[in-house]
Amino acid sequence: MIAFTRPIPSSFAQATTAIAPDPPIDVARAGAQHAAYVRALAGLGVQVIQLEADDRFPDGCFVEDCAVIGGGVGLITRPGAATRRGEVDSVAEALAAHGKLTALHRMEAPATLDGGDCLRVGRTLYVGLSQRTNAAGVARAIEVFAPHGIRVAPVPLAQLGVLHLKCVCSALGDDRVLLAEGTIPRETFAGLDVVMIPNDEAYAANCLAHGGSALVSSGFAATHETLDRAGVRVVPLETSEIRKADGALTCLSILV
Ligand code: CIR
């Protein structure tokens, strides 16, 4: 497994946020949290490839939004936030340079899609229809992934008021998901083992699992206990500054 990541830019305090953080983002602390994340990924046996930091894009560390991977191919997205569209070219270059994917596809206007809305579990790609991802984006995902045996399942998010699908759930392997209660219906994941966590810990539903362990935001005791009982080894990570920019753990990498 390879994780593509990009360091926190010095412009990170200007990241796009639904509500201006108070206190503001501490950029140095964010950098330290990102560095700890990279170390933790390496600790899980993941090879990390760091892209160049790019201060022109305050949200550029959230590389997940720029590409979706499945069935051996990649889809370079057209992010829903116009300010983020320039982030994708360097991500496409890095993925192409590495040569692990058999094809790298693009997406044209009016389609928009953020990788944070895409949750792949086994051969299914759940795609949240959000303020960032539209129906044309989902249609493009079907066009790209269906020929590779990946079923695309759209998940409406309009009622929920969350940024992305993976604000409330994440994969715990090829047949298991972690889901926050009172968010999207459990039946969305019919046929999968669904591990539920309390709604007041919904932020921790975004974890990064690999090989029986999971990177999980620190300070969410009920989630840590639940994962522990489910046989997942919890690696807690501080995410306070990442969270202030409306980001979480999966957002910081593209897994190939
Ligand atoms: C944004 O609003 O686009 C960024 N500030 C946060 C993106 C988080 N990405 C993700 O959840 N995949």
Side-chain angles (χ1 to χ4, degrees), residues 22-78:
D22 180 20
I25 294 172
D26 178 334
V27 179
R29 196 163 174 212
Q33 290 176 351
H34 190 275
Y37 172 81
V38 167
R39 281 196 303 275
L41 275 173
L44 297 189
V46 175
Q47 181 194 343
V48 180
I49 296 181
Q50 285 255 45
L51 278 72
E52 293 270 313
D54 189 339
D55 294 339
R56 292 173 303 161
F57 299 109
D59 291 297
C61 51
F62 298 121
V63 285
E64 171 180 68
D65 293 318
C66 296
V68 183
I69 310 295
V73 303
L75 172 60
I76 299 300
T77 67
R78 183 168 177 269

Side-chain angles (χ1 to χ4, degrees), residues 15-17 59 62 64-65 81 84 114-116 132 163-164 167 206 245-248 250-251:
T16 311
T17 54
D59 291 297
F62 298 121
E64 171 180 68
D65 293 318
R84 300 198 54 194
D114 278 12
R132 299 287 179 90
L163 177 61
H164 288 135
C167 291
N206 182 290
D246 295 347
T250 66
C251 320

Side-chain angles (χ1 to χ4, degrees), residues 167-186:
C167 291
V168 296
C169 57
S170 55
L172 288 177
D174 280 346
D175 53 6
R176 238 182 358 167
V177 293
L178 186 65
L179 173 64
E181 276 167 6
T183 61
I184 55 176
R186 191 187 180 119

Side-chain angles (χ1 to χ4, degrees), residues 59-117:
D59 291 297
C61 51
F62 298 121
V63 285
E64 171 180 68
D65 293 318
C66 296
V68 183
I69 310 295
V73 303
L75 172 60
I76 299 300
T77 67
R78 183 168 177 269
T83 53
R84 300 198 54 194
R85 296 204 179 127
E87 295 173 22
V88 302
D89 291 331
S90 52
V91 168
E93 271 167 35
L95 288 172
H98 201 264
K100 262 204 114 186
L101 301 167
T102 56
L104 209 47
H105 299 275
R106 288 276 185 159
M107 173 176 280
E108 306 298 332
T112 62
L113 182 139
D114 278 12
D117 276 317

